[in-house]
Amino acid sequence: MNDAHGTADVAVIGAGIIGLSIALELSRRGRDVVVIERDRPGQHASTVAAGLLGTAALPLGEQDDIYPLKLDSLRRYAEFVANIESASGMDAGYRDDGTLWIARDAHEDALLDELHLERVDRGLLSRRVTSSQVYALEPNLEPGLLGGLIVNDDVQVDPRQLLPALTQAALASGVRIVEGQAVEDGEHDEAHERWTLANDGEAVALAREVVVTAGPWCDRILNRAGGRTEPLAPSGVGPVKGQLLRMRGPSLINRCIRTTNIDIAQRRHGELIVASTKEPEAGWDLTPTEEARMELLRRAYGVLPALRDAELSEHSVGLRPAVDDHMPIVGPAARHGLWLATGHYRHGILLAPATAHWLAEAMEHGLTPELIAPYGADRLGFQPQSMEAAS
């Protein structure tokens, strides 16, 4: 093989929000890191995401298996963004105005009661508000609402600002990023404890450890990452298509508005986000559909009638990485020095700070932190490298 583009302590495959966050965290801990990206940083799901970050979900219980990780990551977010903005000198589009959940009928009003009580039981803050209080906060919402729930802990970030800032912060910390280079093969030299990552027979990177963060494309790498004669078992991560709308118009709302079937948020620069569909049967299709556009607009107009005067500026499509249980895969894989961080489904932007921190802890100390123990690859059929659990 020809010389690799980079020789490093750690090679991260994939320059989305998860990969770049891990690279930055490892670099700050003194590791020499190279990131390999087949396109450009943040080209895929990361910059299509809505960036609406919170722990609550309706109906109650959905995604509850990752609640502890979501809460941990949300609490890290302000510092995460502040560090990125300080290192990059760029604005990440962070807003901490909170979320207003609204109830359009008695069923949704009862759900908000349940959500409020659940948060109280968990020691979290939220506040039930009457319909008149809802309209005092957000006068442009549809008439006839029964009430709402304010969750001030929720935040939002603009992924299209965050990703460039994160990329620049990683570069400023010493991370090297190799763009336009796919990884099609990986072999581990046990004698020298070194991985060779290659594409079409040409070495792309040499590293002592490898972190695969390539979203729904992870299995294309993992099936080769044990060496050509010993492919790893597939992780089962695959694509879930999601479509959202970006609109331009007057300032209509002051915080993220959530219902059981639509989320609407407004950026400080005026863009309105209408999110989003979940299409697990669509496979790898990236085609925006008229059906999805009309359904999203119908739901959004029903919540925010003044949105009819806004201009549709973009119909975005992305592929979220997910496994059947909708939990992420974070931890060691089946070969020495091989790590996984994928399958974050709808929560990649939210879970980036916690994933980066706890995976770096595992790599640094050789122990599985308790918070990420439920998200190990062993539940999917891998036999990970031996690690002890840390309490």
Side-chain angles (χ1 to χ4, degrees):
M1 291 185 180
N2 297 327
D3 289 340
H5 288 285
T7 299
D9 293 335
V10 182
V12 177
I13 304 175
I17 180 72
I18 297 295
L20 288 171
S21 298
I22 291 169
L24 178 59
E25 179 69 20
L26 290 171
S27 180
R28 286 179 169 165
R29 293 174 181 238
R31 306 295 294 275
D32 179 29
V33 183
V34 60
V35 177
I36 312 298
E37 168 55 45
R38 64 189 181 91
D39 291 313
R40 290 180 288 115
Q43 181 72 12
H44 297 283
S46 293
T47 49
V48 176
L52 312 180
L53 314 179
T55 59
L58 286 175
L60 290 178
E62 184 179 343
Q63 307 296 337
D64 194 56
D65 287 338
I66 61 171
Y67 194 99
L69 193 63
K70 287 162 63 177
L71 182 59
D72 178 82
S73 208
L74 186 64
R75 287 172 170 170
R76 295 178 184 275
Y77 228 93
E79 183 178 2
F80 174 70
V81 168
N83 288 337
I84 289 170
E85 291 182 335
S86 176
S88 67
M90 301 168 68
D91 183 358
Y94 179 77
R95 295 186 64 171
D96 59 359
D97 309 291
T99 289
L100 173 61
W101 286 86
I102 57 174
R104 297 166 292 184
D105 55 38
H107 173 66
E108 290 186 348
D109 204 44
L111 285 178
L112 294 190
D113 277 337
E114 291 181 37
L115 179 57
H116 176 57
L117 291 174
E118 181 187 74
R119 290 182 61 82
V120 170
D121 287 343
R122 293 179 183 271
L124 304 175
L125 298 177
S126 59
R127 178 164 59 95
R128 277 296 252 142
V129 289
T130 65
S131 59
S132 60
Q133 290 172 315
V134 166
Y135 292 116
L137 294 168
E138 300 289 353
N140 290 313
L141 293 177
E142 64 174 313
L145 296 175
L146 299 187
L149 180 72
I150 295 175
V151 180
N152 286 324
D153 293 341
D154 289 0
V155 302
Q156 64 168 291
V157 68
D158 185 345
R160 295 189 174 184
Q161 293 181 251
L162 174 62
L163 264 293
L166 177 56
T167 301
Q168 185 56 44
L171 291 170
S173 76
V175 173
R176 287 163 291 147
I177 300 176
V178 178
E179 299 183 25
Q181 188 62 261
V183 174
E184 299 292 346
D185 192 16
E187 294 188 38
H188 184 240
D189 181 345
E190 294 185 9
H192 296 92
E193 294 187 351
R194 184 178 70 177
W195 282 89
T196 300
L197 304 179
N199 179 20
D200 196 23
E202 180 178 350
V204 176
L206 306 176
R208 291 178 55 243
E209 296 181 274
V210 174
V211 185
V212 182
T213 70
W217 294 272
C218 281
D219 277 359
R220 299 183 182 183
I221 298 164
L222 292 172
N223 284 340
R224 300 178 176 90
R228 294 187 184 277
T229 59
E230 298 180 46
L232 294 175
S235 67
V237 65
V240 176
K241 182 178 180 179
Q243 303 185 55
L244 62 79
L245 306 179
R246 301 174 190 277
M247 308 185 76
R248 289 281 179 184
S251 179
L252 298 177
I253 51 178
N254 301 307
R255 57 190 51 75
C256 176
I257 306 299
R258 290 183 184 260
T259 75
T260 55
N261 62 11
I262 196 75
D263 298 328
I264 307 173
Q266 189 150 32
R267 310 296 192 206
R268 293 196 187 280
H269 56 74
E271 184 178 64
L272 283 146
I273 304 296
V274 178
S276 61
T277 67
K278 294 181 287 184
E279 304 169 50
E281 306 303 323
W284 297 93
D285 176 43
L286 282 167
T287 306
T289 66
E290 179 75 5
E291 180 183 11
R293 181 177 70 84
M294 295 303 295
E295 180 62 20
L296 288 170
L297 287 176
R298 183 188 68 80
R299 295 177 183 179
Y301 292 159
V303 171
L304 193 61
L307 197 59
R308 294 179 182 274
D309 296 326
E311 175 190 359
L312 178 62
S313 58
E314 184 179 327
H315 184 167
S316 305
V317 182
L319 300 176
R320 306 179 181 104
V323 293
D324 288 343
D325 62 9
H326 288 173
M327 295 200 302
I329 309 168
V330 183
R335 297 296 295 274
H336 180 75
L338 184 64
W339 304 84
L340 303 177
T342 186
H344 291 77
Y345 188 37
R346 304 183 72 195
H347 305 293
I349 305 294
L350 170 60
L351 294 178
T355 298
H357 173 81
W358 294 112
L359 185 65
E361 285 286 296
M363 295 174 70
E364 184 173 347
H365 300 295
L367 302 172
T368 299
E370 183 178 3
L371 196 62
I372 61 170
Y375 316 119
D378 53 338
R379 76 183 197 275
L380 303 167
F382 284 105
Q383 295 299 319
Q385 53 190 286
S386 178
M387 295 186 71
E388 298 179 8
S391 60

